[in-house]
Every structure is written in structure tokens, then in C-alpha cells.
Amino acid sequence: MSVNGCHGDGPAGRTTYRSPLAARYASPEMSFLFSDAHKFQTWRLLWLFLAEAEQKLGLPITDEQIEEMRVNLDNIDYSVAAEEEKRLRHDVMAHVHTFGRCCPKAAGIIHLGATSCYVGDNTDLITLKKAFDLLLPKVARVISRLADFATEHANLPTLGFTHFQPAQLTTVGKRCCLWIQDLCMDLERLTRARDDLRFRGVKGTTGTQASFLQLFEGDHQKVEELDRMVTERAGFQRAFLITGQTYTRKVDIEVLSVLASLGASVHKISTDIRLLASLKELEEPFEKQQIGSSAMPYKRNPMRCERCCSLARHLMTLIMDPLQTASVQWLERTLDDSANRRLCLAEAFLTADTILNTLQNISEGLVVYPKVIERRIRQELPFMATENIIMAMVKAGSSRQVERFLKEEVRPLLKSYESQMDVKVELNL
């Protein structure tokens, strides 16, 4: 039986589920950050950083052991690791053993004094930082493209809408600035979230560094220096002073909060474009060979904006995962965070990456239809003039109370006149 419409290389890719975020939407660079290859290579890199620092601080680790680890950072036998994890029921120890097979001389000092969260949590923090580094330029590019569009159409009048009802005039460029302002706020918040990330560091099983104090025979200064050295090698300026077994899961809340906020901005922008496309005033890029509908070929569906809205909704809902996870981390830690975080952190960044890539494509090819805009303005112009008339009356000494005066004073008088004279006054007050 053939399986159609699936993505992936080889039979396994066609007959097993793969997340559309990785298989269909997100960039290769973002997908790689959340791949097994990046994860386990980073684990090995962290084990190398730890061994190098422990050696410099006096533990009996040889240059030969360090070099053996270094040359085997990317030499990962995933089949061996899978066998070890099936046997041990522990992913970190499975990879400790797998790394040890590549480095028989260094096997005894790999992961020395560390707990699983040394590689697990620190790798997550490194990945989050790199993921922000991928997103930030994409937000900036979208802002830049929209700024070009806003400049080009800064003086093109268009009908403004409140409650999606005709209001007063604005310009196409001014409306675009509403979108830009939201994205500028997102850029600031994303940058701040990235810069606020701290390394978990070298903290031991419950955050007390007890195992490292034992290794260094109670020398607190050396343990603190070990933490500082590894943090610096990992590319962080700061580490948490206080942790349980994990870094506080409040960090995940902060990270997904700014991504959810970005999702709200992209959804609003995309929805606005969809509404304007329905009015035929503005349109996203539409390729020459693109098919709008299989049954209605005249249609020009805003499918890119619709995709942005669809994925942005998913991104916005993901914030509930870290909120609930952080709230139920008993005492120093519980493991019910693990499986949930494997899903929500990766999906949040892959989704954010996708909607930014798509929004950039949209912003680079927006099409404006000035004649349609002009026709709609002319249709509404008589109604828009009422505000100017009221302002002129105010300047002339009248007030906004005219309407009340007409209803409360004039209407009763006319009603009385109609009754007395037996005539109908055709005045709608």
C-alpha cells in the first residue's frame, strides 16, 4: 500500500509520523538546533569543558584523556546509544557509556562529579540562546521590509476601520506602522529574554555542589572557580547562584511568553492583511502558477497569511505548558517536566521560526490596489464629512449637544405641530 503526502527520506520517513514543523515548515538551521545530533554533540562538548576545567584545577586528568574526548565529539554511534538506553533506562548514562566506548582511556573521567542535569539543562540553555540568535535577525528583517513598505505608501490615503466598520481616513503606510510598532516591542522583549538567560552551571544533584566539594576535598574556592570556568567556556556571562537539581522552570515561562507575544503580533498582522485582501485593497504575493482553489480558479486565497495565523495560534497556546510545569516542580525537582519540555520548547521555536520566515516572504511582496482604495473612500466620503461638520459647528459656537437639542426640544415641537395641523413633517430626527 502506498502512503501519499508524507515527508521524509526513505521508507521510515514515509510510514512514521514526523512533525510538520521540522518536515515541512521550519528552517534547516532551527531544525538542527533541536535535533539529536546537536543535543548529543553539545552533551559531549559539556563533558569536555568539565574535564578541562577539572584538570586545570588539579584533578588527576591527563592531556591524553582530554584529547581523546576532543577528537570524538562528533563520533556518536546512535545505535549503541539506543541499545544502552534500552538496557539502562537512562538517556544520559546511555550516552556516557557510548562516549566511553569511543574514549576508553577517558571513560573513567567522563561526567565526573556531575548529575544528568549538568548536560541536560545546560544543553537546553545553550540551545535556547542559539535559537534566539536565529530568530532575532528574522524579526529585524521583517521590520525592515515593512518599514520600506510603510515609507513607500506613507501618503496613500485609505479608509480606516474601527470595529471593522468604516471610520476616518488614515494612510496605508500609517496602518503598516501599527504592525511595525508591535514587532519592535517583540524585538526588544526577545533580545531581553536572550540576554537574561543564565547558565545552570556545575551545581551537583540538588544544587549544593556536594559532589564537587568532595572531589576537591572541601575547597569551596576551587568549586566556585570550576563553575565559573565551565560557564565561560559555554559562552555565558552569568550562571545561576541558586538551583535545585534543575535551573528554575520559570526561565521556560519567560522564554515561551515572549514567543507567544510574537505569535500574537504575527496573527494580528496576518489577519489585517486577510481582511484587506477580502476588500481587494491589499494582497500577499501570489505566484503566476499558484492555484487559489481547486474548484474556483478565480480565487486568490491569502494562504501564507492563513498559515501564519494557524501556526501563531499554536505558538500562543504553548505558554500553558511551562506555566503548569513550573507550578508542579516539587521541592528540588520532579521528572514530570522532561517529556513536556521536549515538546514545548522545540515546537515554540520551530513555530516562531516558521511564521517569521513566512511573514518576511509576505512583507517582501505585498501588493496595493490604489484604485480600489480610492473607490471605497469616495463611497464613504459623505459620511466621513460629518465629523468635520461637527468640528466646524463647535468652532462657530455650536456644540455636540445639537443632536440632543433636536431630539429633546425640536421633535416634541414638530409632533405637536403635526397633531394640530394634521400634516406629516418628513424630518428624521
Side-chain angles (χ1 to χ4, degrees):
M1 181 179 69
S2 63
V3 181
N4 298 318
C6 298
H7 298 267
D9 298 323
R14 292 190 294 270
T15 58
T16 60
Y17 175 79
R18 291 180 63 195
S19 168
L21 289 170
R24 186 179 181 92
Y25 296 128
S27 67
E29 296 81 10
M30 188 63 79
S31 295
F32 172 72
L33 284 183
F34 292 93
S35 68
D36 283 350
H38 179 264
K39 175 180 178 179
F40 298 129
Q41 287 168 12
T42 306
W43 283 13
R44 290 192 174 188
L45 196 61
L46 286 166
W47 283 322
L48 176 64
F49 292 162
L50 181 63
E52 288 175 336
E54 288 174 335
Q55 183 196 43
K56 289 179 180 178
L57 291 170
L59 292 189
I61 296 173
T62 67
D63 291 341
E64 186 178 18
Q65 289 173 312
I66 296 292
E67 184 59 24
E68 189 178 48
M69 293 174 69
R70 183 179 290 109
V71 300
N72 283 286
L73 289 176
D74 299 333
N75 181 22
I76 303 175
D77 190 329
Y78 291 100
S79 60
V80 169
E83 291 173 4
E84 289 288 343
E85 184 170 356
K86 186 176 181 180
R87 181 174 66 89
L88 300 172
R89 307 297 296 173
H90 197 290
D91 57 348
V92 173
M93 288 310 301
H95 277 269
V96 169
H97 288 198
T98 304
F99 198 14
R101 291 197 190 187
C102 302
C103 310
K105 295 176 182 176
I109 57 97
I110 295 171
H111 199 67
L112 184 60
T115 186
S116 298
C117 286
Y118 167 70
V119 289
D121 272 30
N122 284 326
T123 291
D124 286 343
L125 290 163
I126 290 170
T127 301
L128 295 180
K129 186 177 179 184
K130 289 181 178 180
F132 275 127
D133 288 341
L134 284 181
L135 290 185
L136 287 167
K138 296 186 178 188
V139 179
R141 277 196 291 274
V142 172
I143 291 171
S144 176
R145 303 301 189 271
L146 289 175
D148 292 341
F149 178 84
T151 301
E152 181 182 355
H153 300 286
N155 297 316
L156 178 59
T158 190
L159 183 61
F161 288 85
T162 58
H163 313 273
F164 201 46
Q165 298 297 313
Q168 288 292 309
L169 290 180
T170 182
T171 74
V172 172
K174 162 63 169 57
R175 175 181 282 147
C176 182
C177 288
L178 298 174
W179 307 338
I180 294 170
Q181 180 171 254
D182 287 352
L183 290 173
C184 286
M185 293 174 66
D186 292 319
L187 184 62
E188 291 175 350
R189 291 191 66 195
L190 288 164
T191 301
R192 184 163 59 247
R194 188 256 188 211
D195 293 343
D196 284 347
L197 286 175
R198 284 181 278 176
F199 204 52
R200 177 193 176 274
V202 182
K203 296 297 193 294
T205 55
T206 58
T208 64
Q209 299 179 314
S211 57
F212 295 103
L213 281 167
Q214 186 174 0
L215 282 175
F216 288 100
E217 298 178 344
D219 191 328
H220 287 264
Q221 187 173 350
K222 282 190 175 181
V223 173
E224 290 180 4
E225 181 63 11
L226 176 71
D227 200 358
R228 187 198 66 78
M229 289 171 67
V230 173
T231 298
E232 188 176 277
R233 285 284 276 129
F236 285 78
Q237 296 181 347
R238 298 180 301 157
F240 283 101
L241 293 175
I242 298 294
T243 72
Q245 188 172 89
T246 70
Y247 69 77
T248 172
R249 297 307 185 217
K250 292 280 284 185
V251 173
D252 297 343
I253 296 175
E254 295 300 317
V255 169
L256 265 68
S257 175
V258 297
L259 295 180
S261 181
L262 172 66
S265 299
V266 174
H267 199 296
K268 186 266 193 293
I269 295 168
S270 301
T271 301
D272 283 356
I273 296 171
R274 291 168 65 189
L275 291 171
L276 294 170
S278 178
L279 299 176
K280 303 188 186 304
E281 293 186 5
L282 183 69
E283 191 173 68
E284 69 175 36
F286 199 89
E287 309 299 334
K288 289 183 178 180
Q289 301 297 318
Q290 184 173 331
I291 297 174
S293 168
S294 60
M296 296 169 283
Y298 56 87
K299 294 189 71 179
R300 297 172 71 87
N301 298 336
M303 47 82 73
R304 291 173 175 86
C305 288
E306 290 172 321
R307 181 191 307 156
C308 281
C309 289
S310 180
L311 291 173
R313 288 201 304 273
H314 176 61
L315 177 56
M316 289 185 284
T317 64
L318 290 174
I319 184 59
M320 291 306 300
D321 280 339
L323 283 170
Q324 295 184 69
T325 295
S327 71
V328 297
Q329 286 302 287
W330 302 348
L331 306 175
E332 278 67 47
R333 191 266 172 100
T334 60
L335 193 60
D336 61 354
D337 64 339
S338 180
N340 186 286
R341 294 177 68 252
R342 288 175 194 263
L343 295 171
C344 69
L345 294 179
E347 289 199 359
F349 277 97
L350 290 169
T351 306
D353 181 68
T354 300
I355 61 177
L356 286 173
N357 291 338
T358 309
L359 187 58
Q360 180 182 335
N361 175 268
I362 293 167
S363 62
E364 289 173 346
L366 286 171
V367 179
V368 178
Y369 294 101
K371 293 296 184 182
V372 177
I373 293 173
E374 181 183 356
R375 185 166 64 247
R376 181 159 286 105
I377 290 175
R378 291 186 180 279
Q379 289 173 348
E380 300 294 335
L381 202 55
F383 306 104
M384 288 188 286
T386 57
E387 184 172 359
N388 293 332
I389 293 170
I390 292 173
M391 292 300 101
M393 291 171 66
V394 170
K395 286 183 178 180
S398 184
S399 74
R400 291 178 180 270
Q401 305 306 312
V402 169
E403 181 179 356
R404 183 178 175 187
F405 166 72
L406 293 175
K407 287 185 177 180
E408 296 183 7
E409 303 289 340
V410 177
R411 176 178 288 172
L413 179 63
L414 293 176
K415 289 290 185 184
S416 175
Y417 174 77
E418 288 177 343
S419 174
Q420 292 175 18
M421 303 300 293
D422 194 26
V423 294
K424 182 71 175 177
V425 179
E426 296 294 335
L427 184 60
N428 183 22
L429 295 178

